[in-house]
Amino acid sequence: MSTSTRRWVIGLCWLTVMFDGFDIVALGATIPIMTSESHGHLGVTVADMTFVSTISLVGVGIGAVIIGTISDRFGRRSALMACIFVFSIFTLVFPVMPNVACMGLARLIAGVGLGGCMPIALTMMQESAPDGRRAGASTFMMTGYHVGAVLASLAAFWAHEHWSRLFIFGGLLGLATLPVMWFKLPETHAPAEHDAGTHERVYGIRDLFTERRARATVALWIAAFMGLLLVYGLNTWMPKIMELAGYPLSSSLIMLLVLNVGAVMGLLIGGRTGDALGIKGTTLAWFAAAAALLALLSVQMSNVVALNLVILVTGVFVFCAQVLVYAFVGYIYPRALLATGMGFTAGVGRLGAIAGPWITGALVSAGLAYPGGFYFFAGVAILGMLAVVVIPRPAPRPAADRRSRSLAAAEV
């Protein structure tokens, strides 16, 4: 793969992940407007929008699980474009849905499309990355998620009460991406029907559990679940938890921003560290540091600078630990099984994304969120670390493969 082609893969996959961050924040930013007395939409309630947002995450999980085998059968490129098309169309129609049931259906189908995007993008990045740079490729690409979140925040500020503009903008942006992908995005893995001519083995779901891969598969699923539980639980409830701890609401919102700034820093640092020092040791260290820092946040701090510094470093480790699990997938499975392994790991992880806000919300309702919430998060990080301990250390690549990868790296 030439340098220019690899750059197109990186750029377009990064843009694909950006849609995920945009979509989550766009829905969250519009819920207060849609449920308000002055600008309410169709009389929807907070409970109605909780259903809509939850069913959206269910769709994302479904899309992530099924996309691996589809992309193995029909190719990465066509599967990714189909996912973006589905997501874009049902994002565009969401504002015109006549009732809550139809809104939920639109978000479910949009979620299926969106859920398929990230696993394929991560797979294409790892397939096109030189050997020894897969973790860095994965973590760099995930910075797109946070850029999308920032973009959605700015778009929400621009739209104000005209919340439908957010979804129109997101849908049109997705559709505008498709022509560029059609002409510039290469295929990184030949469709399965072509493999017969090259005598390459075709893998299926059952192969995730054969040839001594069962232990690694289950452990990856657990680690991904714990990682996304942390990410979504903190992003959803951290401002409220810090407010309950006695910090001003304005300060708690700044803390959330600081947490995500740390996330971007961690993604840029963690991937390079994993490639240089070993993916297993780095992932273990990241989960362990996340556990310690989350426990430290249970201690009330009067010094604002010290508090925000701790939050910044917490973001560095919490968010990147989860992405390093995705990078681990590229080191565990053979190339032909990579998309299926990535899809199931991401799909099970999405269950953690659903559980995180729900469990944390229950702690808030029970009056246990501070300091109990941070103890809970620390425990989740420890469970993620223990899951990584179970994953076998990746075996070295064959010498011939390493030489070919080295030649590819020289092109960059």
Side-chain angles (χ1 to χ4, degrees):
M1 183 181 292
S2 67
T3 302
S4 61
T5 301
R6 185 176 289 112
R7 286 173 179 169
W8 277 111
V9 173
I10 293 171
L12 291 172
C13 288
W14 184 89
L15 184 62
T16 299
V17 173
M18 190 188 75
F19 294 144
D20 201 337
F22 182 94
D23 182 75
I24 293 295
V25 174
L27 183 62
T30 58
I31 287 176
I33 300 172
M34 296 174 69
T35 57
S36 68
E37 294 183 1
S38 55
H39 303 291
H41 178 67
L42 299 176
V44 298
T45 64
V46 172
D48 292 332
M49 293 311 299
T50 298
F51 160 75
V52 171
S53 60
T54 301
I55 201 68
S56 177
L57 290 173
V58 170
V60 170
I62 294 172
V65 166
I66 66 175
I67 198 59
T69 52
I70 292 175
S71 67
D72 282 339
R73 180 70 175 82
F74 298 102
R76 315 285 192 240
R77 180 176 176 270
S78 57
L80 180 59
M81 293 178 65
C83 287
I84 292 176
F85 179 78
V86 170
F87 161 71
S88 301
I89 292 297
F90 284 91
T91 297
L92 281 171
V93 303
F94 173 71
V96 298
M97 290 293 99
N99 53 53
V100 173
C102 292
M103 291 168 66
L105 180 62
R107 288 296 302 176
L108 175 67
I109 300 175
V112 171
L114 182 64
C117 288
M118 187 182 293
I120 299 180
L122 283 164
T123 300
M124 294 185 76
M125 283 287 285
Q126 295 202 10
E127 287 175 338
S128 60
D131 199 28
R133 298 188 185 179
R134 292 184 185 139
S138 297
T139 53
F140 169 76
M141 195 185 74
M142 290 301 294
T143 62
Y145 175 93
H146 298 280
V147 172
V150 172
L151 181 62
S153 300
L154 295 175
F157 179 77
W158 160 71
H160 290 291
E161 68 273 13
H162 304 291
W163 58 269
S164 61
R165 294 177 181 176
L166 275 173
F167 296 93
I168 294 171
F169 176 71
L172 291 178
L173 183 61
L175 292 178
T177 304
L178 293 177
V180 182
M181 287 188 169
W182 178 266
F183 290 106
K184 293 295 184 179
L185 185 66
E187 179 58 77
T188 60
H189 177 75
E193 62 261 31
H194 295 169
D195 291 341
T198 60
H199 304 289
E200 182 179 344
R201 176 180 173 182
V202 178
Y203 287 87
I205 296 172
R206 65 182 298 273
D207 293 294
L208 295 174
F209 301 94
T210 60
E211 299 179 11
R212 300 183 178 180
R213 284 189 285 264
R215 186 178 72 177
T217 294
V218 174
L220 283 168
W221 291 0
I222 295 173
F225 179 94
M226 299 302 169
L228 279 178
L229 191 157
L230 287 174
V231 169
Y232 279 78
L234 282 168
N235 262 338
T236 304
W237 287 104
M238 185 173 173
K240 183 63 177 179
I241 294 174
M242 299 309 278
E243 183 186 11
L244 293 173
Y247 300 105
L249 178 59
S250 57
S251 298
S252 63
L253 293 173
I254 293 174
M255 292 172 198
L256 185 60
L257 174 63
V258 171
L259 184 74
N260 280 277
V261 170
V264 175
M265 295 172 57
L267 290 170
L268 295 174
I269 297 170
R272 292 179 179 270
T273 305
D275 286 331
L277 302 180
I279 187 65
K280 180 168 182 174
T282 302
T283 309
L284 283 171
W286 250 245
F287 269 115
L293 289 162
L294 287 165
L296 182 58
L297 285 175
S298 66
V299 179
Q300 201 161 20
M301 304 179 194
S302 57
N303 188 306
V304 176
V305 175
L307 173 63
N308 280 287
L309 181 60
V310 172
I311 292 173
L312 179 73
V313 180
T314 301
V316 168
F317 289 101
V318 168
F319 289 83
C320 188
Q322 176 263 327
V323 179
L324 285 172
V325 174
Y326 290 153
F328 219 139
V329 173
Y331 285 93
I332 292 296
Y333 298 115
R335 181 186 179 93
L337 189 57
L338 181 56
T340 300
M342 186 72 75
F344 271 84
T345 301
V348 174
R350 291 289 182 172
L351 297 177
I354 297 172
W358 182 80
I359 295 174
T360 312
L363 291 173
V364 171
S365 299
L368 303 173
Y370 187 85
F374 288 117
Y375 297 148
F376 167 72
F377 287 134
V380 168
I382 291 173
L383 290 175
M385 181 187 69
L386 293 176
V388 175
V389 169
V390 174
I391 303 174
R393 192 175 299 276
R397 294 283 172 180
D401 185 61
R402 290 199 302 271
R403 284 195 297 271
S404 65
R405 289 288 189 173
S406 298
L407 290 174
E411 298 176 1
V412 179

